[in-house]
Amino acid sequence: MSLTLASALAEMPLVAILRGVKPDEVEAIAEAIVAAGIRILEVPLNSPDPLRSIGLLARGLAGRALVGAGTVLTVDDVAGVAEAGGTVIVSPNTNVEVIRASKARGLLSLPGFFTPTEAFAALEAGADALKLFPAEMASPAAVKAMRAVLPRSTKVLVVGGVSPQTIPPYLAVGVDGFGVGSDLYAAGRSATEVGERAAALTAAIRALNGERTA
């Protein structure tokens, strides 16, 4: 069965954000992350030589993880990611042209939003999921209120300040996933350390899911 956004999030509701990663280290770091159970990885375009890193991961993790780019701001960026082999387009903002360009190329679109107006504009343009950013400025109560008006099928991820301590209250209000950046990877961290951090995060998620189904 091919990996989809829904199946990847169902397996582990985390997106690994590798901001600052370099091509000569990205494969080892990504393997450590995937070994811990995370199935979605993004390389922000303000990282060193990001398209090369995306290309390496797209080839090396084919069938095992969804790979794409973060901080995608323009239609030209979308084209570059597609040509590198990336299949996921993540943005910090709601840009309907970027969303439409992503869908026209058959890519997954995960735009950032902060208000219901932005959320509905993104969905109308074809977004596959919505990324609430920055989550530090939106409480779980705010997410619950927005969830009440969004279509039930809408997948909502939160990004910003995500850690084992901040995840539980968002899960409780129906968030579908989390983008994890500095709590997982920061420039200079070894693959071993990143793998340990990934394992701790996935263990926390599994423990929480076990409590919710018990």
Side-chain angles (χ1 to χ4, degrees), residues 205-214:
I205 291 282
R206 291 185 180 111
L208 286 167
N209 283 338
E211 291 175 6
R212 293 166 72 198
T213 57

Side-chain angles (χ1 to χ4, degrees), residues 11-14 167 171 178 200-210:
E11 184 172 344
M12 180 52 58
L14 296 176
I167 285 173
L171 278 177
F178 303 85
L201 281 164
T202 56
I205 291 282
R206 291 185 180 111
L208 286 167
N209 283 338

Side-chain angles (χ1 to χ4, degrees), residues 14-34 38 40-44 46-50 53 57 161-164 179-201:
L14 296 176
V15 178
I17 303 170
L18 306 182
R19 189 178 307 280
V21 74
K22 298 177 181 177
D24 63 358
E25 63 181 350
V26 72
E27 291 174 289
I29 287 168
E31 288 291 351
I33 289 169
V34 171
I38 298 173
I40 309 173
L41 294 84
E42 74 168 78
V43 177
N46 54 4
S47 302
D49 203 356
S53 289
L57 296 187
V162 173
S163 70
V180 187
S182 59
D183 205 69
L184 175 62
Y185 173 80
R189 278 188 192 143
S190 69
T192 299
E193 182 180 354
V194 173
E196 291 168 351
R197 287 172 173 267
L201 281 164

